[in-house]
């Protein structure tokens, strides 16, 4: 399978580049900016390279830079924003601070006969985000696009197939960004476009069988989309060599344990072992309010329970996990310049504690790609269409201390919220919706009596992969119905508020 390599220089849009490329049926892979040259040379699947944007200045002392020899590999290269400036700086051009920084929409002018912009009319709207600009072209390069504020907005070295764009083709606001990327991939690089859900399933089954052989595999099944798809994919590859363990942490949504048991035993006849461990988790979380400490305690406790129960059921060589690409990118295991926002306890952890080899068949995929795989595997929509749910569960949706009483309140409120979204036909339009119990009490009036009870926040966002998200505008009458039901039916809540923050700057989850 052909591969496009994306070197990450810290842009908030790097993952978006990968997503857009995959939408064009080309497999893309993100690696840190300092990914070793020898690995690139030895990976014969790599057919082209994209250099991402980034917040640094190329002339700064500690600016992230790749090995300049990547330009001598004979591979087509596209530099985006900072990537363009790197190309210029490393190949003998000049980059300076712009007199006027450029952020937002701009009109790009270019020669209508320019192949790189084939199928697009000049001018076309693009999205700018830069404080530096290219002032002197490296030898052999020519200008192929400009804006009013950027006389050098697109460049090309046709013979070496090295291109650079000052704007971001991967973002929505660049009107024909998809076409620009398509031109680079197919007209310049000659990709075949052979990346698809079917090809992924076929190649994954083959890889799993080759890797596992006759050994046994243990998978921690949560009932969420990721672990569910991983379980069914692995089961399709090796059948009864797979055992799934479901641990009820006491931090799950309403009726979640029963649903998982029913779907995987009845639909897929997967060997499933269910463990009830709510008391263990709640005792460890008593008095804990810091969100990162909650995550670490839950992750550590999960390992302890998992390890204890795994010893009872036999010997396993492989541990399977539903790790996704965003988990890999955002986790502490990824060494690019992008900042770590929070730890992901499903990336690593267990193998260090137990004598397992990791099996992560989905670690190349984004969430929507995982859903597509799940649908091809005939996983019920009630599972595959579920909104993402954090590994630590409701513990990070209860701000403050976790208790049985607060969990009960949140479960009831969250169930009403989701029920009403489904009734209104909105659930499938929303990437993720959930309720958050705040450590705040407010005065209210119920009947003729004064109340002093909890505040509940509702969250609903749209996204494609969870890397960025916009808040979803639920119609006021539906919000009113949800609020009325929660306040009337859930004892302990007298006020409901709605979160209208996007990511960035906020995260999707509150903790």
């Amino acid at each position: 399978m052909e591969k496009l390599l994306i070197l990450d220089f810290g842009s908030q849009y790097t993952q978006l580049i990968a997503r857009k490329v995959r939408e064009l049926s080309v497999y893309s892979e993100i690696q840190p900016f300092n990914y070793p040259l020898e690995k690139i040379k030895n990976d014969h699947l790599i057919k082209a390279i994209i250099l991402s944007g980034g917040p640094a200045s190329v002339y700064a002392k500690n600016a992230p830079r790749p090995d300049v020899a990547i330009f001598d590999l004979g591979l087509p290269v596209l530099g985006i924003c900072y990537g363009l400036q790197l190309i210029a700086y490393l190949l003998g051009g000049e980059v300076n601070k712009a007199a006027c920084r450029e952020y937002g929409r701009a009109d790009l002018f270019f020669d209508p006969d320019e192949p790189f912009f084939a199928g697009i009319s000049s001018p076309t709207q693009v999205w700018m985000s830069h404080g530096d600009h290219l002032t002197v072209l490296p030898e052999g390069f020519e200008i192929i696009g400009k804006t009013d504020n950027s006389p050098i907005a697109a460049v090309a070295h046709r013979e070496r197939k090295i291109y650079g764009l000052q704007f971001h083709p991967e973002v929505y606001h660049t009107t024909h960004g998809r076409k620009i990327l398509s031109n680079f991939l197919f007209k310049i690089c000659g990709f075949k476009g052979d990346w698809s859900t079917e090809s992924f399933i076929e190649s994954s089954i083959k890889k799993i069988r080759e890797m596992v052989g006759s050994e046994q595999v243990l998978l921690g099944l949560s009932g969420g989309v990721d672990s569910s798809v991983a379980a069914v994919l692995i089961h399709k590859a090796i059948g009864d060599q797979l055992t799934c363990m479901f641990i009820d942490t006491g931090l799950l949504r309403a009726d979640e344990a029963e649903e998982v048991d029913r779907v995987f035993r009845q639909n897929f006849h997967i060997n499933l072992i269910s463990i009830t461990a709510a008391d263990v988790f709640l005792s460890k979380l008593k008095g804990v309010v810091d969100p990162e400490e909650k995550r670490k305690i839950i992750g550590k406790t999960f390992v302890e329970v998992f390890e204890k129960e795994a010893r009872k059921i036999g010997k396993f060589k492989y541990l399977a996990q539903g790790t996704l690409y965003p988990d890999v990118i955002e986790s502490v295991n990824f060494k690019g310049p992008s900042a770590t926002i929070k730890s992901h306890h499903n990336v690593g952890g267990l193998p260090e504690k137990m004598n397992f080899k990791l099996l992560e068949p989905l670690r190349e995929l984004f969430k929507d790609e995982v859903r597509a795989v799940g649908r091809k595997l005939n996983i019920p929509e009630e599972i595959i269409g579920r909104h993402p749910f954090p590994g630590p569960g409701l513990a990070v949706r209860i701000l403050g201390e976790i208790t049985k009483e607060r969990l009960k309140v949140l479960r009831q409120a969250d169930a009403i919220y989701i029920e009403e979204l489904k009734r209104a036909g909105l659930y499938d339009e929303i990437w993720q919706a959930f309720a958050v119990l705040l450590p705040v009490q407010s005065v209210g009036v119920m009947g003729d009596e004064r109340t002093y009870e909890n505040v509940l926040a509702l969250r609903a966002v749209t996204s494609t992969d969870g890397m960025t998200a916009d808040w979803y505008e639920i119609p006021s009458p539906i919000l009113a119905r949800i609020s009325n039901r929660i306040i009337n039916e859930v004892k302990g809540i007298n006020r409901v508020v709605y979160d209208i923050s996007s990511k960035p700057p906020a995260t999707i989850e509150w903790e």
Side-chain angles (χ1 to χ4, degrees):
M1 178 181 60
E2 299 172 327
K3 183 191 299 184
L4 173 87
L5 176 64
I6 301 169
L7 295 183
D8 177 28
F9 293 89
S11 170
Q12 61 180 317
Y13 302 131
T14 300
Q15 294 78 32
L16 196 52
I17 301 171
R19 286 288 307 112
K20 294 299 181 183
V21 169
R22 291 190 188 186
E23 286 174 8
L24 291 164
S25 300
V26 172
Y27 177 67
S28 57
E29 177 180 289
I30 300 171
Q31 292 292 351
F33 70 92
N34 55 358
Y35 190 61
L37 184 69
E38 284 305 309
K39 287 191 175 183
I40 301 175
K41 283 182 179 179
N42 295 330
D43 189 341
H44 301 298
L45 297 177
I46 297 174
K47 195 161 181 168
I49 299 172
I50 286 182
L51 309 180
S52 83
S57 292
V58 293
Y59 47 77
K61 183 178 179 181
N62 296 316
R65 297 182 187 123
D67 191 319
V68 70
I70 65 168
F71 301 113
D72 299 323
L73 296 176
L75 297 172
V77 177
L78 172 63
I80 296 175
C81 196
Y82 180 85
L84 159 70
Q85 295 164 15
L86 268 175
I87 290 170
Y89 186 83
L90 295 174
L91 296 181
E94 288 187 19
V95 177
N96 301 104
K97 184 174 288 295
C100 180
R101 295 189 301 173
E102 192 173 17
Y103 295 99
R105 295 173 179 84
D107 287 329
L108 179 76
F109 297 88
F110 54 89
D111 185 338
D113 296 326
E114 169 54 50
F116 192 84
F117 298 113
I120 306 171
S121 298
S122 178
T124 184
Q125 178 182 288
V126 298
W127 186 261
M128 292 287 193
S129 179
H130 63 99
D132 295 336
H133 66 163
L134 178 56
T135 53
V136 177
L137 287 174
E139 185 178 349
F141 282 80
E142 60 182 290
I143 299 171
I144 60 171
K146 64 180 181 179
T147 69
D148 289 339
N149 288 327
S150 292
I152 308 177
V155 304
H157 191 303
R158 300 187 193 280
E159 184 181 344
R160 300 177 69 182
K161 294 186 177 181
I162 301 175
Y163 291 79
L165 303 174
Q166 185 58 75
F167 58 91
H168 290 271
E170 70 274 23
V171 303
Y172 172 79
H173 300 296
T174 294
T175 308
H176 294 289
R178 179 185 174 93
K179 181 61 177 172
I180 292 170
L181 289 172
S182 176
N183 286 342
F184 175 69
L185 295 172
F186 300 112
K187 293 183 181 297
I188 307 300
C189 306
F191 277 100
K192 295 174 185 174
D194 57 0
W195 166 254
S196 67
T197 301
E198 292 83 358
S199 67
F200 172 81
I201 292 173
E202 184 180 339
S203 63
S204 294
I205 289 173
K206 184 180 177 183
K207 286 179 187 175
I208 292 167
R209 287 174 178 165
E210 289 175 352
M211 180 177 178
V212 172
S214 59
E215 300 291 345
Q216 296 293 308
V217 177
L218 180 62
L219 181 144
L221 181 65
S222 70
V225 176
D226 310 339
S227 67
S228 298
V229 174
V232 175
L233 180 61
I234 295 168
H235 187 256
K236 190 175 180 66
I238 61 172
D240 290 342
Q241 290 172 246
L242 171 69
T243 298
C244 292
M245 185 190 295
F246 176 78
I247 298 176
D248 185 352
T249 62
L251 306 170
L252 304 175
R253 291 167 288 196
D255 304 322
E256 197 155 20
E258 294 81 1
E259 183 182 31
V260 169
D261 193 81
R262 175 178 54 80
V263 169
F264 289 93
R265 287 190 200 278
Q266 293 181 14
N267 287 39
F268 296 102
H269 309 290
I270 290 176
N271 183 20
L272 176 63
I273 296 169
S274 297
I275 307 297
T276 301
D279 291 343
V280 176
F281 281 86
L282 288 176
S283 65
K284 295 285 182 71
L285 288 167
K286 187 175 182 180
V288 178
V289 297
D290 179 77
E292 192 65 11
E293 189 178 353
K294 286 180 188 176
R295 288 177 178 271
K296 289 176 179 177
I297 288 172
I298 293 167
K300 183 174 182 291
T301 305
F302 190 91
V303 171
E304 292 169 353
V305 173
F306 196 95
E307 183 178 18
K308 177 183 175 183
E309 298 299 329
R311 287 200 185 106
K312 296 178 183 178
I313 56 178
K315 291 186 177 180
F316 299 89
K317 184 173 182 179
Y318 291 94
L319 172 73
Q321 294 186 155
T323 308
L324 303 192
Y325 209 24
D327 297 332
V328 176
I329 294 166
E330 284 193 348
S331 76
V332 292
N333 294 339
F334 191 78
K335 302 300 183 183
S338 302
T340 297
I341 306 302
K342 63 191 177 214
S343 60
H344 290 264
H345 77 264
N346 62 324
V347 181
L350 288 173
E352 286 83 351
K353 292 284 185 178
M354 305 169 72
N355 190 27
F356 279 137
K357 288 188 176 180
L358 263 185
L359 176 59
E360 298 174 309
L362 308 179
R363 67 180 286 119
E364 301 171 343
L365 302 185
F366 289 94
K367 178 73 80 172
D368 59 320
E369 294 171 324
V370 173
R371 292 190 201 279
V373 169
R375 291 186 175 104
K376 286 289 180 183
L377 293 171
N378 297 316
I379 298 176
E381 197 62 31
E382 61 190 282
I383 294 289
I384 213 64
R386 296 177 80 184
H387 291 176
F389 188 62
L394 299 181
V396 291
R397 292 178 179 175
I398 293 177
L399 276 57
E401 186 177 4
I402 312 299
T403 64
K404 282 187 178 180
E405 293 73 24
R406 299 190 81 201
L407 281 164
K408 181 180 178 181
V409 168
L410 181 57
R411 271 196 200 97
Q412 290 176 335
D414 190 73
I416 291 170
Y417 181 29
I418 299 304
E419 180 184 318
E420 288 296 334
L421 290 178
K422 288 181 176 178
R423 180 180 295 174
L426 300 180
Y427 185 82
D428 291 336
E429 294 182 14
I430 296 169
W431 165 266
Q432 193 171 359
F434 55 90
V436 181
L437 189 61
L438 306 184
V440 174
Q441 291 183 307
S442 69
V443 174
V445 177
M446 290 185 175
D448 294 324
E449 296 184 4
R450 176 186 184 274
T451 62
Y452 192 59
E453 293 180 335
N454 296 292
V455 177
L456 184 87
L458 302 179
R459 181 83 159 129
V461 298
T462 57
S463 182
T464 54
D465 52 32
M467 290 296 189
T468 60
D470 291 321
W471 64 277
Y472 183 84
E473 194 168 347
I474 298 176
S476 297
I478 297 171
L479 272 177
R481 185 162 66 244
I482 293 167
S483 176
N484 288 338
R485 278 199 62 192
I486 289 173
I487 290 172
N488 287 328
E489 297 177 32
V490 183
K491 186 177 180 181
I493 295 174
N494 70 354
R495 190 178 300 271
V496 174
V497 297
Y498 190 55
D499 181 352
I500 59 170
S501 309
S502 294
K503 175 186 179 180
T507 54
I508 295 176
E509 297 285 345
W510 278 45
E511 288 193 343

